[in-house]
Amino acid sequence: ALFSLKAQTINDPRLRRVIQQSGVDKRTLNKIIKNEKEISASLNQQPAQMNNENSNVDLKLIENAVKLNESVNDNIKSDSSNINLNPETIQKIVDVKSSEVENVLTDIQDSQNYFGYDIFKSNPELFQNSIDLSVDPNYVVGPGDEVIIMLWGETELNQSYLVTRDGYLFIPNVGQVFVNGLNLEKLEKKLFRFLKKVYSSLDSSNGVAKTFFDVSLGSVSLKPLRVFVLGDVLNPGAYKMKSSTTLFSSLFYFGGPSKNGSMRNIKLIRNGKQKAEIDFYDFLLSGKKPKDFRLQREDIIFIPQRSKTVSVSGEIHRSKIFELKDSEGFLDLIKMAGGLKATTYTKRAQIERILPPDQRLLQGIDKTKIDVDISDVLSGKNNIEIIDGDKIVFFPIIGKEGNVVEIIGAVKRPGKYDLKSGFSFTDLLKKADGLKPTAYLDRAVLIRTNDFNTLDQSYIDINLELALKNDLNHDVKLKSGDQIQILDFSSMRFTDKVSIRGHVERPRSLLYRKGMRVIDLILSGGGFENDKHLKNTYFGKAELYKKNENGDIDDIIEFRLDSVLVGQGIADEQLEMGDEIRIYSIKDIREVLPANVEIRGFVKRPGIYPIVDGITTLRELLFRAGGPQDKLHLNKTYYNRADLIRFEDDLYTKEILKFKMADVLDTTKNINPILKIGDEIVIYSIDIFENNKTVTIRGDVVNPGNYELKTNMVINDLILEAGGVPSFISKYKVEIASFDEKAGDNFSNIREFYLENGPQTYDVKQSFKKSYDSQKLLSPNDIITVIKDPNTFESKTVTISGSVHYPGTYEIKHREELVTDIIQRAGGITIDAYPSASSLTRNNENVRLSFKQILRNPRSKKNFSVQDGDSIIIGKKLNIVTIEGAVNSPGNYQYIKGLRLNDYVDMAGGYTNEARRFATYVSNLDGSSEKVNLLSFSPVVTDGARIIVPTKLEVEPFSMTEYVTNLTQIYSDLTQSDLMLLLATRN
């Protein structure tokens, strides 16, 4: 979660003050706490997802949460000891990486600030043509394309052919024709040359052509285009796009240009030459799609770097960052930004400019500001040149209200009123229908603006009771712009004073005056010009108490007194009625400090220790913290440096006193200082000055990683320390790569070993002797790789579900285990199983397999070996047959065993007039199909099958001419074959 703020934590006045400093109001705070989980989930998303309209939490709430978190982080890190939170809550708050969250939000904000870039978050399908256009004449034919040849007239032919993997079309009576790489025009010419050799009526050279010819591409040809995207884009690379994709719509496939990419100069490169370029601003600013170009295979879309970049802000319709062409100036920029607002001040705009490098050297400055008269630009008198990096600010008009006074607070009708001649305070009260019963009669405040240009104001106290008695000193004459504040008694009843307490010469309470500041109240206490008083003053901390109407402390604001005395910090913060400031002396703070000292670093028992009997020496603390008695610990202790950190006399700055551990531990030397309250001792280890020797093991071990190298350590020792090799691996290979600094960046030696997995035994007598195989010895920085034998059989599983007795996941026993073996292990199929509706899925793709045949004969060659991750689903009987197409009542019908295709067509009301009966076919669940023909006019229909009846428009009409021509050709071929056999026999 972002942070955890519990109810008791929020009630802490110090933390409430931190929350107030963040600028987050109570209502937003409650929403943040209520939506804590949703905010945390949103922060784990990508920027585009966070900014999505369907996001669970709006972006503004996330921004407020980050702002609040930063405020808490900043204050907790500096003041955690003074905030009454439990340690776990403090740690949760401090550990939040708000900078990472801010980076995500900054990316989103950037995409919104740059004009036009956020449009590319849309779905690319939305910008496709609603209906695919005809195939581009320049479309290049390749393998897999569908070519449709149509002849009409004396000869009729309508047949589609697929281009083979080698780029050929096979056309009966014509043979193979190589078509790979041809566009439609060249394809048509080439096929015409071949076909007119077979169909003489195509050739117009013998007279008027009696047969006509056309070539087109079928729907199979509309396969995706591969297009390369390069330049300043978020994800450069190759993309597959629809064949109808244009240069314009392709931008939405790859998310458009990156923040640094150009929107004004998007290039299309084809065959190594620039084919076109578009300016996307044309679409964004006018709503008209720019001149567009259909993409072809292997096209390159190149996004160059942004050109002139200019920022616009202030009183203008689009406060964005725009990209300008070299020829565009100030007037063009105003048009791009949507024009000026009605409230824009037209006599002045300001350009903040970073000077070009040559001008910086010449003028000796880096930046400058230029004022522009917008009215001159709009009238055409001057079109200011804009350069890269300019920031332009448009200012609002100052809305001055004349002859108006205002009254607010405890009156019946607060608001603004027009100022009459000789209008007084009591006249305004009458216009406001008088006072409320709760009005505070001792005091009202008149705020008068002396100068509307500088907004200089003065405050005039008015006694309401005297003003109502027509006392001219309080019933003052009003001026234009005056504001009257009538105070409410309920808000004044607890106090109308402010006070200062503590280490000042004159602790006192003063009558509250609006506009009083913190520095005013502190100086009223006196003593800050007295050197003796100042010497005893604690400057590191003072407190401002905020009280509610019951006199209870609502909040405590801590501040540094020395900062306020020089006019910084909260010196100019406005006071409120009831505020109290408390100043401390050094003696006050000294009495607060606990009588403890702290020791940390390389000691056995670091922590905070009390000072015993008023005196504790450094050597005594070292022994209490442990270590000097432990020789192993002492061997790793750094003797030449340790630190004593101690408060100076002002109790808020510290100094470091260095000493040698060896001198303190040497009892013959008189170096054993007495510790003071608040002292901190830091001890160091020699490890921080020495590099540990390590080796790395990776591959097929239980715990790969880096390990400390021990003396005489061999490969078997390291494998054992790394958790060993998994038990299912019987044999494995080990490679040791040793590094030698003299050999440069290369490994100087690589050793190989072949080992068997199993427990290792040792001779007890030799177990503590240095006996080892020198070839297996390890050196610092060695990299050891453990590789299992490829013949090792690992645990592999297959899942079976559906109509079997024991569905579940089964271990594969051996590499040759079949589908039927798994079905048998699952208890066989149930009575309602339907093999034809079963399937085998591998790598999320369906494998065509006849379950009916392999269950009938498991030894069939069509049986299938299972692999790890396979999924077998045994389907159930559906008892449904579906009829589609040109029948009078298409739909689902009950399956009845033994019924034929014609029976189901009759159930569906028979064929329509548009039906092509002899093109009707049955599609079975196992993927097979049966077509109606002269031999099997009405095949038997199986359970779950689909009967499809095409229309005449969908099927090529039967051509008797073509039929007779084909029969003649077949007869001719057979006769020729018989003749060749006869000649061969005679020879």
Side-chain angles (χ1 to χ4, degrees):
L2 188 65
F3 45 71
S4 294
L5 298 175
K6 307 300 180 186
Q8 65 270 22
T9 304
I10 298 174
N11 289 332
D12 189 294
R14 295 175 178 82
L15 187 55
R16 282 210 308 276
R17 183 255 302 170
V18 172
I19 294 169
Q20 288 172 359
Q21 287 181 348
S22 71
V24 177
D25 55 51
K26 291 182 179 179
R27 184 177 180 184
T28 304
L29 174 63
N30 290 331
K31 288 178 69 176
I32 290 172
I33 296 171
K34 184 178 180 181
N35 295 281
E36 181 182 350
K37 292 182 180 179
E38 291 78 5
I39 292 173
S40 178
S42 296
L43 294 174
N44 291 327
Q45 298 174 348
Q46 295 299 318
Q49 295 173 315
M50 286 178 64
N51 202 27
N52 194 307
E53 292 180 357
N54 297 322
S55 178
N56 292 330
V57 184
D58 64 5
L59 184 59
K60 193 66 179 175
L61 191 59
I62 296 175
E63 289 175 344
N64 278 318
V66 173
K67 189 189 301 181
L68 174 60
N69 177 54
E70 289 175 342
S71 179
V72 173
N73 274 352
D74 293 341
N75 284 274
I76 293 292
K77 288 174 183 175
S78 59
D79 297 336
S80 60
S81 61
N82 297 319
I83 297 181
N84 187 21
L85 301 176
N86 63 69
E88 293 182 0
T89 303
I90 292 176
Q91 194 59 44
K92 286 181 181 178
I93 297 174
V94 173
D95 286 346
V96 173
K97 297 182 180 178
S98 59
S99 59
E100 295 179 7
V101 176
E102 187 175 8
N103 289 338
V104 176
L105 296 174
T106 301
D107 289 342
I108 297 172
Q109 194 67 36
D110 282 349
S111 66
Q112 294 173 341
N113 288 340
Y114 284 82
F115 178 64
Y117 287 81
D118 51 353
I119 193 175
F120 297 111
K121 295 172 184 174
S122 304
N123 187 339
E125 300 297 330
L126 300 177
F127 291 85
Q128 292 289 343
N129 292 314
S130 56
I131 299 175
D132 282 350
L133 303 176
S134 58
V135 178
D136 189 347
N138 293 319
Y139 181 88
V140 178
V141 176
D145 280 339
E146 181 184 18
V147 178
I148 301 175
I149 300 176
M150 182 181 294
L151 301 177
W152 70 94
E154 186 176 285
T155 302
E156 293 185 1
L157 176 67
N158 186 350
Q159 187 64 45
S160 64
Y161 306 94
L162 291 179
V163 180
T164 65
R165 184 179 301 176
D166 300 326
Y168 286 92
L169 282 180
F170 180 78
I171 305 173
N173 303 328
V174 175
Q176 286 188 338
V177 181
F178 187 74
V179 297
N180 188 44
L182 301 179
N183 60 22
L184 277 179
E185 182 181 358
K186 293 181 180 178
L187 175 67
E188 187 171 0
K189 288 180 181 179
K190 186 168 187 177
L191 291 178
F192 182 80
R193 291 200 310 270
F194 278 87
L195 287 170
K196 73 179 182 180
K197 296 178 182 179
V198 178
Y199 303 103
S200 58
S201 56
L202 274 173
D203 193 353
S204 59
S205 62
N206 300 327
V208 179
K210 297 179 182 179
T211 299
F212 304 95
F213 165 71
D214 182 61
V215 173
S216 60
L217 296 180
S219 60
V220 177
S221 299
L222 302 179
K223 56 181 179 287
L225 302 171
R226 186 176 69 164
V227 176
F228 295 92
V229 181
L230 303 174
D232 279 294
V233 293
L234 294 173
N235 298 299
Y239 287 82
K240 284 188 177 181
M241 302 180 186
K242 281 190 173 183
S243 58
S244 62
T245 304
T246 64
L247 176 56
F248 173 83
S249 60
S250 68
L251 302 177
F252 296 86
Y253 276 89
F254 55 85
S258 68
K259 186 175 62 178
N260 298 319
S262 174
M263 297 270 282
R264 310 294 307 273
N265 188 21
I266 299 169
K267 300 178 185 294
L268 172 61
I269 299 173
R270 184 174 293 164
N271 298 326
K273 297 181 180 179
Q274 183 172 315
K275 173 71 175 175
E277 66 179 38
I278 61 172
D279 183 349
F280 202 77
Y281 272 24
D282 290 343
F283 170 70
L284 295 173
L285 296 173
S286 66
K288 298 177 183 178
K289 187 182 291 188
K291 185 179 179 182
D292 211 353
F293 297 87
R294 183 81 70 86
L295 296 183
Q296 295 183 13
R297 292 177 188 168
E298 311 302 317
D299 274 356
I300 296 174
I301 299 170
F302 182 76
I303 308 293
Q305 193 173 5
R306 283 177 64 89
S307 52
K308 189 161 50 178
T309 303
V310 181
S311 170
V312 176
S313 62
E315 205 68 9
I316 198 160
H317 283 98
R318 294 193 187 104
S319 293
K320 296 281 185 181
I321 300 173
F322 294 91
E323 179 184 1
L324 270 64
K325 294 184 177 179
D326 291 337
S327 60
E328 293 172 336
F330 196 89
L331 186 58
D332 302 296
L333 182 61
I334 291 176
K335 293 177 181 178
M336 289 180 190
L340 304 175
K341 291 184 177 181
T343 54
T344 305
Y345 181 58
T346 58
K347 295 299 291 180
R348 176 174 173 257
Q350 191 172 76
I351 303 175
E352 182 181 320
R353 176 166 293 172
I354 301 173
L355 295 177
D358 54 343
Q359 295 186 29
R360 292 181 218 164
L361 294 174
L362 184 64
Q363 301 182 26
I365 57 175
D366 297 330
K367 294 182 179 181
T368 187
K369 291 188 177 180
I370 304 170
D371 287 335
V372 177
D373 190 329
I374 303 174
S375 57
D376 286 347
V377 176
L378 296 176
S379 64
K381 294 180 181 178
N382 189 13
N383 190 11
I384 305 296
E385 181 186 2
I386 304 296
I387 69 173
D388 189 28
D390 278 358
K391 295 181 181 180
I392 303 172
V393 181
F394 293 86
F395 300 102
I397 58 174
I398 299 176
K400 298 178 182 177
E401 288 183 331
N403 212 36
V404 172
V405 291
E406 183 180 10
I407 187 168
I408 59 175
V411 291
K412 293 179 180 178
R413 296 188 182 278
K416 293 182 179 180
Y417 294 87
D418 63 318
L419 180 63
K420 307 288 185 183
S421 178
F423 211 51
S424 70
F425 172 62
T426 53
D427 294 330
L428 181 58
L429 282 178
K430 291 175 184 176
K431 264 205 163 186
D433 283 353
L435 300 169
K436 287 184 177 180
T438 58
Y440 184 65
L441 299 180
D442 289 343
R443 182 169 176 257
V445 179
L446 167 61
I447 303 173
R448 176 162 289 169
T449 303
N450 302 316
D451 188 333
F452 282 99
N453 291 321
T454 63
L455 297 179
D456 177 50
Q457 293 179 327
S458 60
Y459 294 82
I460 302 172
D461 285 339
I462 297 174
N463 187 305
L464 262 176
E465 193 170 7
L466 295 176
L468 292 172
K469 294 177 180 179
N470 298 321
D471 186 331
L472 295 180
N473 291 324
H474 294 275
D475 189 13
V476 297
K477 299 296 181 182
L478 300 181
K479 294 182 179 181
S480 179
D482 282 354
Q483 184 188 69
I484 307 291
Q485 293 182 351
I486 306 298
L487 304 174
D488 193 291
F489 181 77
S490 61
S491 64
M492 294 292 298
R493 69 186 182 200
F494 69 98
T495 181
D496 58 357
K497 292 183 172 58
V498 291
S499 56
I500 183 165
R501 300 281 184 266
H503 184 65
V504 289
E505 285 191 348
R506 295 183 300 275
R508 60 198 298 198
S509 293
L510 299 173
L511 186 66
Y512 169 75
R513 289 286 184 268
K514 188 171 179 63
M516 290 182 71
R517 303 170 300 165
V518 169
I519 184 65
D520 300 329
L521 183 56
I522 289 176
L523 293 178
S524 71
F528 299 106
E529 295 179 358
N530 184 321
D531 291 340
K532 183 178 179 181
H533 183 88
L534 281 175
K535 187 176 181 180
N536 293 318
T537 303
Y538 182 66
F539 293 102
K541 172 187 172 183
E543 294 174 334
L544 169 61
Y545 291 85
K546 312 291 287 188
K547 298 181 180 179
N548 58 29
E549 59 185 25
N550 297 320
D552 298 327
I553 296 175
D554 223 5
D555 196 5
I556 301 175
I557 301 175
E558 296 176 359
F559 60 91
R560 290 188 66 91
L561 180 60
D562 49 2
S563 297
V564 171
L565 289 175
V566 295
Q568 297 179 0
I570 65 168
D572 292 324
E573 184 170 318
Q574 300 272 327
L575 294 174
E576 297 176 350
M577 287 180 289
D579 283 355
E580 179 182 318
I581 291 177
R582 186 174 295 274
I583 309 297
Y584 294 96
S585 67
I586 291 178
K587 182 181 178 182
D588 296 331
I589 299 298
R590 195 188 301 274
E591 292 174 353
V592 173
L593 288 176
N596 293 331
V597 290
E598 181 181 2
I599 186 168
R600 52 191 169 87
F602 189 67
V603 291
K604 298 188 73 173
R605 292 186 291 276
I608 297 174
Y609 290 83
I611 294 177
V612 180
D613 298 330
I615 297 178
T616 294
T617 63
L618 178 56
R619 191 180 299 152
E620 178 187 346
L621 180 62
L622 290 173
F623 277 87
R624 287 168 67 185
Q629 308 95 325
D630 187 338
K631 290 185 178 181
L632 182 60
H633 187 274
L634 279 176
N635 287 337
K636 292 189 176 183
T637 301
Y638 186 58
Y639 286 95
N640 292 326
R641 166 75 183 269
D643 293 332
L644 169 60
I645 302 172
R646 174 169 289 171
F647 277 110
E648 294 186 352
D649 291 339
D650 59 8
L651 291 181
Y652 66 88
T653 57
K654 295 181 178 181
E655 62 177 335
I656 296 179
L657 305 173
K658 307 177 185 67
F659 64 92
K660 290 185 177 181
M661 275 284 291
D663 292 343
V664 175
L665 295 176
D666 188 351
T667 56
T668 63
K669 295 184 178 181
N670 191 24
I671 301 177
N672 187 22
I674 297 174
L675 299 179
K676 295 182 179 181
I677 293 174
D679 280 355
E680 299 175 46
I681 290 85
V682 185
I683 310 300
Y684 301 103
S685 168
I686 60 174
D687 288 342
I688 64 175
F689 304 102
E690 295 183 1
N691 293 324
N692 289 331
K693 296 177 181 180
T694 60
V695 289
T696 301
I697 186 169
R698 60 193 181 188
D700 294 307
V701 289
V702 175
N703 298 309
N706 297 326
Y707 290 87
E708 181 184 359
L709 178 65
K710 288 82 176 177
T711 303
N712 296 328
M713 192 176 198
V714 295
I715 180 60
N716 304 74
D717 302 330
L718 179 60
I719 291 176
L720 193 63
E721 190 171 347
V725 177
S727 58
F728 65 85
I729 299 176
S730 57
K731 296 180 180 179
Y732 56 92
K733 173 185 175 182
V734 177
E735 280 191 355
I736 304 175
S738 299
F739 180 78
D740 186 355
E741 293 182 357
K742 297 179 181 179
D745 294 334
N746 300 320
F747 287 101
S748 62
N749 182 28
I750 295 181
R751 292 167 283 161
E752 295 182 353
F753 303 95
Y754 295 88
L755 306 175
E756 292 188 2
N757 197 6
Q760 301 181 26
T761 57
Y762 299 91
D763 185 352
V764 176
K765 296 180 179 179
Q766 299 293 326
S767 60
F768 291 102
K769 295 182 179 179
K770 294 183 179 180
S771 175
Y772 48 81
D773 183 352
S774 60
Q775 284 297 314
K776 294 184 181 180
L777 269 176
L778 300 180
S779 303
N781 302 317
D782 277 357
I783 297 178
I784 295 87
T785 305
V786 178
I787 307 165
K788 67 182 178 183
D789 188 327
N791 295 317
T792 299
F793 183 74
E794 298 182 45
S795 174
K796 299 178 181 178
T797 60
V798 60
T799 302
I800 184 168
S801 59
S803 298
V804 290
H805 287 93
Y806 302 103
T809 300
Y810 289 83
E811 293 286 338
I812 299 176
K813 294 180 178 179
H814 50 80
R815 290 185 177 87
E816 302 301 325
E817 192 160 18
L818 303 173
V819 172
T820 51
D821 297 332
I822 300 298
I823 295 174
Q824 185 178 3
R825 288 170 63 189
I829 61 176
T830 60
I831 192 170
D832 61 344
Y834 189 40
S836 297
S838 304
S839 64
L840 170 66
T841 303
R842 178 171 293 171
N843 297 327
N844 296 322
E845 293 187 2
N846 191 41
V847 179
R848 294 271 182 149
L849 184 63
S850 175
F851 278 81
K852 183 177 180 180
Q853 187 170 352
I854 65 172
L855 286 171
R856 185 183 301 150
N857 181 16
R859 296 184 178 181
S860 169
K861 293 181 179 179
K862 295 184 178 181
N863 209 343
F864 213 67
S865 297
V866 293
Q867 292 185 6
D868 186 31
D870 283 355
S871 176
I872 301 170
I873 302 175
I874 306 299
K876 293 184 179 181
K877 295 178 180 178
L878 300 177
N879 291 322
I880 287 176
V881 173
T882 303
I883 307 177
E884 302 173 2
V887 292
N888 287 301
S889 297
N892 296 325
Y893 290 85
Q894 179 186 358
Y895 167 71
I896 301 175
K897 187 176 181 180
L899 290 190
R900 296 180 175 271
L901 182 147
N902 277 354
D903 299 325
Y904 285 101
V905 172
D906 290 341
M907 287 185 192
Y911 296 103
T912 65
N913 292 332
E914 298 299 321
R916 193 72 179 177
R917 300 188 180 191
F918 289 100
T920 302
Y921 66 94
V922 179
S923 177
N924 298 313
L925 283 177
D926 61 1
S928 64
S929 61
E930 295 181 76
K931 189 176 180 182
V932 172
N933 54 53
L934 296 174
L935 298 177
S936 58
F937 180 74
S938 183
V940 175
V941 177
T942 60
D943 187 8
R946 291 168 56 238
I947 300 172
I948 296 93
V949 183
T951 62
K952 293 177 181 178
L953 294 175
E954 296 172 335
V955 181
E956 175 194 354
F958 178 75
S959 172
M960 183 56 73
T961 303
E962 180 184 356
Y963 179 69
V964 173
T965 302
N966 290 338
L967 287 178
T968 303
Q969 182 66 38
I970 293 170
Y971 179 74
S972 175
D973 292 343
L974 290 173
T975 304
Q976 189 174 2
S977 299
D978 289 342
L979 181 59
M980 294 297 292
L981 288 171
L982 180 61
L983 291 173
T985 304
R986 290 178 180 178
N987 288 335

